[in-house]
Amino acid sequence: ASTVPRPSRWALTRKLSVQLKSQLKTRAMAPHFKLPCRDVLMDEKLDIELVDVDDPEVEICLSAPDEKGLIYTSSAVFKPRNGVVSLTKDAPLAGSYSGIDPMGLFCSLRPPDSGPPWARLFKKDVLSPFVHELSAYPFPRSAAVLTRASIRRWYKSPGVTRIPVRSGRLRGTLFIPEGEGPFPATIDLFGTIGGLLEFRSALLASRGIASFALAYFKFEDLPPNLDKIDMSYFEEAIDYLRAQSCVSSVAVIGVSLGAVLAVQCAASFPEKVQAAVSISGNYFLSQAVHYKGTPIGHCKEVDMSFVKVREDGVIEALACNEEHDRKHPDCPGTLKSSGLKSALLLLSGDDDRNWCAAPGHRRYCSLLEQNGHTPPVFDMCYKNAGHIIEPPFAPPCLQSFHPSFGVTVAWGGVPSYHVAAQAHAWRVLLCFLRACTRSPAARALEPAPAERYAASFQQHYVDPLGRDVRSPAQSKKNCE
């Protein structure tokens, strides 16, 4: 009987090699996402591509759970070019956003229809990332998912040190950048929401600026409300930060009420604070503020006629600065505008539906100018931006539930403009802090771009989409 010859070892090896190459080729030709990195910082602009696509149109979806498990989603439909969809180069045919925007899917994330309309996507636990899931489908959806990929976006980079602070009365968290230092540092304040929020401080430290996220009410054993604000508490925080060997200088940054307190710190402690940043602040104290038992003064009778309740129950506060000026021309709570030695950065939007910061910033600039303020002042008003100007590439917060007041509050802003304003304002903020918190000797050796405007008042009305920079007087809204 004849026998079948057994294949040689060489023949088997060749057959296996051909099969493996075929499998690898098939796998490489399947649609897949090309990502620059799986772990990125929240303020990083991503270059994402979907490659090896055969379908004439595809839908790319993004999902991200918040810390309560609510799933935020966005999607957009694209027409591939030569089998490739580039979020950096291609505009969607339809979807959650329009126009070419590499971060459009991230900035247009929305809660589900079944969820609360006032939900806000933000991070309390900065030690864990936002996990974003990308998926691609043929459009219209007639088949299973083509491919998936995940991205982890962090506020805190791995090299940043997080130190909980419970020193004396102080309650907060200090973030120290990677490296030896010394570093410029900030005290980071939020507004009437209360509690302790760390995400902005964590991201600042990831960009080389030490930051002390400071709670001042509604946290642990701190006061439960804003009946009385003691400026000596903030002075204690400034002194604590200045005593750190890794800190070279101190600035104070705040949003909303925190912005007013940031400028008040610069006015109260001019020898200790090199710079202050007011994000959607104002020029008067609406809460009772004192220093070591001595009242500083505040506006006790803010006219509430400007408050509007919309049909959906959301609260808007419009023209509050104009009403305040009319009712209180000599308000005892006007922020101090003489004797300041700090550089100031004032950021606002002209669609602010909360307390309309842009006119308040302009009013404070005029007071500073009248009192001969010499350090640089940069007043940036963004077209169609709202009250909550946060770090970039996150969904804009146009309205949200206010836990301190128990109501839903409108913050304002047109989504596309507000998103662009946040990206632009973050770059301006980092440049300002790096330039204005260095020592005079360092500035003399290495002048920063911001110092081209030294000792001058710079007021700009910024179109964040068109980069149209004009004077504030040319704004069509200006909250008036």
Side-chain angles (χ1 to χ4, degrees):
S2 62
T3 60
V4 178
R6 298 179 65 182
S8 66
R9 182 179 297 178
W10 180 86
L12 285 172
T13 302
R14 184 181 180 190
K15 183 178 180 180
L16 289 172
S17 178
V18 170
Q19 289 176 346
L20 181 60
K21 287 182 179 179
S22 176
Q23 291 174 3
L24 289 174
K25 182 177 180 181
T26 301
R27 187 177 301 175
M29 292 302 292
H32 61 280
F33 286 105
K34 288 180 65 176
L35 307 175
C37 189
R38 299 283 179 174
D39 288 273
V40 298
L41 288 174
M42 284 293 294
D43 62 353
E44 288 187 54
K45 188 179 291 187
L46 303 178
D47 184 7
I48 297 175
E49 290 185 341
L50 177 65
V51 299
D52 295 328
V53 182
D54 292 329
D55 298 274
E57 292 183 0
V58 292
E59 182 180 16
I60 299 178
C61 303
L62 183 70
S63 64
D66 68 6
E67 292 176 324
K68 296 180 180 179
L70 193 67
I71 306 296
Y72 287 66
T73 60
S74 61
S75 63
V77 177
F78 295 89
K79 184 178 182 63
R81 294 185 296 174
N82 300 319
V84 177
V85 174
S86 169
L87 299 190
T88 303
K89 300 177 182 178
D90 299 328
L93 303 176
S96 304
Y97 74 99
S98 60
I100 297 174
D101 184 353
M103 301 303 288
L105 286 171
F106 297 88
C107 296
S108 60
L109 285 165
R110 293 291 181 269
D113 294 337
S114 59
W118 40 258
R120 178 181 178 186
L121 183 65
F122 74 106
K123 259 285 182 187
K124 285 191 174 181
D125 177 16
V126 299
L127 297 179
S128 64
F130 273 126
V131 180
H132 295 73
E133 185 79 19
L134 280 164
S135 55
Y137 298 86
F139 185 82
R141 291 196 191 183
S142 57
V145 63
L146 297 174
T147 186
R148 297 183 190 274
S150 62
I151 300 174
R152 294 177 293 270
R153 301 175 69 213
W154 301 80
Y155 282 103
K156 175 186 170 296
S157 64
V160 168
T161 302
R162 177 183 178 272
I163 304 173
V165 176
R166 304 295 184 271
S167 174
R169 295 181 297 167
L170 300 180
R171 302 291 179 265
T173 307
L174 176 60
F175 291 87
I176 301 176
E178 183 176 13
E180 296 182 2
F183 306 102
T186 67
I187 290 175
D188 188 14
L189 305 173
F190 281 80
T192 53
I193 188 174
L196 178 63
L197 297 178
E198 301 180 353
F199 63 89
R200 187 167 57 205
S201 283
L203 194 54
L204 284 169
S206 299
R207 293 305 180 194
I209 298 168
S211 190
F212 184 13
L214 183 66
Y216 56 97
F217 80 106
K218 281 185 68 176
F219 183 73
E220 295 183 353
D221 57 349
L222 292 175
N225 52 49
L226 288 166
D227 289 346
K228 198 174 183 181
I229 299 175
D230 184 359
M231 289 305 299
S232 68
Y233 177 77
F234 301 98
E235 184 180 30
E236 186 177 333
I238 294 167
D239 290 340
Y240 172 85
L241 200 52
R242 283 162 53 90
Q244 304 302 310
S245 60
C246 63
V247 169
S248 60
S249 56
V250 173
V252 186
I253 177 175
V255 61
S256 196
L257 173 61
V260 177
L261 295 174
V263 176
Q264 183 64 34
C265 284
S268 300
F269 318 115
E271 302 297 335
K272 300 179 179 182
V273 177
Q274 278 68 49
V277 180
S278 170
I279 304 172
S280 302
N282 220 311
Y283 70 97
F284 61 88
L285 296 165
S286 56
Q287 272 75 27
V289 177
H290 66 95
Y291 177 64
K292 296 181 177 179
T294 301
I296 292 178
H298 72 287
C299 183
K300 298 179 181 179
E301 300 176 1
V302 176
D303 192 328
M304 298 300 290
S305 63
F306 56 80
V307 175
K308 172 185 175 183
V309 181
R310 301 189 324 210
E311 291 184 0
D312 58 1
V314 177
I315 303 296
E316 288 188 349
L318 303 174
C320 55
N321 287 289
E322 287 76 12
E323 289 292 332
H324 179 271
D325 280 349
R326 182 170 59 84
K327 296 284 186 179
H328 310 282
D330 299 312
C331 173
T334 299
L335 289 173
K336 183 180 177 182
S337 54
S338 60
L340 273 78
K341 298 181 180 180
S342 304
L344 299 177
L345 174 62
L346 314 176
L347 302 171
S348 62
D350 74 354
D351 194 43
D352 189 330
R353 298 279 161 173
N354 184 246
W355 69 355
C356 204
H361 281 169
R362 291 201 305 276
R363 169 71 169 151
Y364 191 59
C365 281
S366 66
L367 294 174
L368 288 169
E369 201 161 14
Q370 290 170 21
N371 283 284
H373 183 78
T374 56
V377 177
F378 305 92
D379 180 11
M380 313 282 290
C381 177
Y382 289 94
K383 178 181 178 181
N384 289 333
H387 187 75
I388 306 295
I389 299 175
E390 296 187 321
F393 310 139
C397 181
L398 309 184
Q399 67 181 43
S400 67
F401 181 77
H402 200 301
S404 295
F405 302 143
V407 296
T408 301
V409 176
W411 304 114
V414 177
S416 58
Y417 281 88
H418 193 93
V419 163
Q422 291 189 149
H424 187 271
W426 183 249
R427 294 195 300 272
V428 170
L429 170 65
L430 292 177
C431 178
F432 173 82
L433 290 175
R434 289 165 180 160
C436 296
T437 56
R438 295 177 301 160
S439 67
R443 276 180 260 174
L445 292 172
E446 184 187 355
E451 288 166 359
R452 291 178 297 176
Y453 310 109
S456 63
F457 285 78
Q458 296 291 319
Q459 292 184 288
H460 301 287
Y461 178 63
V462 182
D463 180 343
L465 292 180
R467 296 295 182 263
D468 176 22
V469 181
R470 296 171 286 168
S471 69
Q474 293 174 282
S475 167
K476 293 182 180 179
K477 291 185 179 179
N478 284 320
C479 303
E480 295 175 352

